[in-house]
Amino acid sequence: MSDRITVSSTIGEAFNFAFGNISAVFRIGWFPVSLMMALLALIGWIFFQPIIMVYGELLTNIDAMSDADALTQILAQYNENMLAAVESIGYQTVSLGYLLFLVVGLAGSAIPMTAYSRMIVNGDRYRGLIYFQFGGREVSVAITYFAVTVLVTIIYIAAVLVAGIVVGIVGAIAAAALGDAGTAVLGLLIIGTVIVAMIFMLWLFARLLIAIPASAIEGGAPIGKAWTMTKGHGATLTLALLLGYILLIFVWIVFFVALDYVVDAISMVLGDPGSQLGMYVTMALGAVAYVAMVCVGNAFFIGLFAGPYKRLTAGDPSPQ
């Protein structure tokens, strides 16, 4: 396979994998994703019930508010209630709950992402209606995903702090020299800095997240290798990541519009949209649709990086 990477080939291969193998993608992902969601809901209810209740109250109040002034009061009350809820739970309990959230979320995501990576790169195939495999490679993928996220976050925050200091100094000089025009210049500098910072973060992710399929194939957390491997391909991968998710969002919009029509049609057949049966059918369809969306989204995400990884390692004697 050629090591040439283009935006169109990267997006096209990811799209074809996620939607062209949708049956296999769903069979692999539905059980670990459903289990992850159930465990996250259980952890949330056990550790964060007061917080969940406060958030629910916020949504209810916002839905019932009459004007913009009421929103300020609602948010102020929400902040007070949230602080009280956290204090009632205890910061240690909140930290433990968050840690469990993190572990379950990483593990639940790593299982299908590892399988999807090996499908794309090695051509592995998985049979059966339930897939659940959690071993060394899945642990490596989870650690790699977490490490890349933390690393990018730290670099991004440091870069934003430095940029903020520079912009502040330049803005102060411009304001002193140009008056009102200097204030306008400062505003443009802030907007420009925010845009550049977001692009920079996306560029870092685009270059480093190729470590996930690398981890699924080779084991370990090959973040350094990912950085070296993607040298000269950063702009292409960044644009593919950005345009790929714009395309995926458009697909989801079409999907949910179609799902809405399906739900309406089922409601008409049942004759009473407000009946318990209609509610259960709607909830079941919504749950299946959400799980399918997560599975396909994970497959598309992995496809954006596993395809380039496969191209860049063509002929590489790395362990398979």
Side-chain angles (χ1 to χ4, degrees):
M1 177 179 285
S2 169
D3 65 352
R4 176 172 167 74
I5 296 175
T6 65
V7 174
S8 59
S9 66
T10 300
I11 295 175
E13 288 171 359
F15 191 87
N16 289 337
F17 171 71
F19 292 92
N21 300 279
I22 197 164
S23 174
V25 164
F26 185 75
R27 281 190 293 104
I28 289 170
W30 79 266
F31 181 73
V33 168
S34 298
L35 181 61
M36 175 185 69
M37 290 168 55
L39 289 175
L40 290 178
L42 181 61
I43 292 170
W45 191 250
I46 291 174
F47 288 89
F48 305 119
Q49 185 176 350
I51 293 176
I52 295 172
M53 300 300 289
V54 169
Y55 184 71
E57 183 181 355
L58 170 68
L59 296 180
T60 302
N61 291 336
I62 289 178
D63 187 57
M65 74 177 185
S66 56
D67 53 54
D69 292 334
L71 179 60
T72 303
Q73 297 178 357
I74 290 172
L75 292 178
Q77 186 63 48
Y78 166 75
N79 290 332
E80 292 181 12
N81 293 343
M82 183 59 71
L83 181 60
V86 172
E87 290 178 347
S88 70
I89 297 171
Y91 290 100
Q92 289 184 335
T93 302
V94 170
S95 299
L96 176 60
Y98 180 76
L99 179 62
L100 290 174
F101 249 94
L102 182 64
V103 171
V104 170
L106 286 171
S109 300
I111 293 171
M113 286 197 299
T114 302
Y116 296 152
S117 296
R118 297 185 67 82
M119 285 179 67
I120 295 171
V121 179
N122 290 350
D124 290 6
R125 290 293 178 265
Y126 305 93
R127 302 186 181 279
L129 295 177
I130 295 179
Y131 175 83
F132 189 85
Q133 181 174 323
F134 192 77
R137 293 190 185 277
E138 287 74 19
V139 172
S140 295
V141 167
I143 292 173
T144 301
Y145 194 9
F146 177 71
V148 168
T149 303
V150 171
L151 180 61
V152 170
T153 301
I154 292 173
I155 295 173
Y156 173 75
I157 291 173
V160 168
L161 289 175
V162 172
I165 294 172
V166 173
V167 168
I169 294 172
V170 173
I173 295 173
L178 303 175
D180 292 340
T183 303
V185 169
L186 177 60
L188 291 175
L189 282 173
I190 292 173
I191 294 172
T193 301
V194 170
I195 295 173
V196 171
M198 292 177 65
I199 294 174
F200 175 65
M201 183 175 65
L202 198 63
W203 177 76
L204 285 174
F205 272 123
R207 288 198 59 180
L208 293 179
L209 282 175
I210 204 170
I212 292 178
S215 178
I217 304 303
E218 304 171 21
I223 298 174
K225 179 176 180 177
W227 182 256
T228 302
M229 186 187 304
T230 55
K231 183 179 181 180
H233 301 286
T236 300
L237 292 172
T238 301
L239 193 56
L241 183 61
L242 177 61
L243 295 180
Y245 269 90
I246 291 174
L247 174 63
L248 188 63
I249 289 171
F250 174 77
V251 171
W252 290 147
I253 291 173
V254 174
F255 172 75
F256 280 112
V257 169
L259 181 64
D260 190 50
Y261 278 109
V262 170
V263 170
D264 288 343
I266 291 176
S267 297
M268 290 178 63
V269 171
L270 294 175
D272 183 7
S275 67
Q276 272 197 328
L277 178 59
M279 181 182 67
Y280 289 146
V281 169
T282 301
M283 289 175 60
L285 277 175
V288 172
Y290 181 76
V291 171
M293 183 181 73
V294 172
C295 293
V296 174
N298 283 339
F300 184 79
F301 168 75
I302 285 298
L304 288 173
F305 299 100
Y309 169 81
K310 184 176 182 180
R311 289 176 178 274
L312 293 172
T313 56
D316 189 339
S318 298
Q320 300 291 304

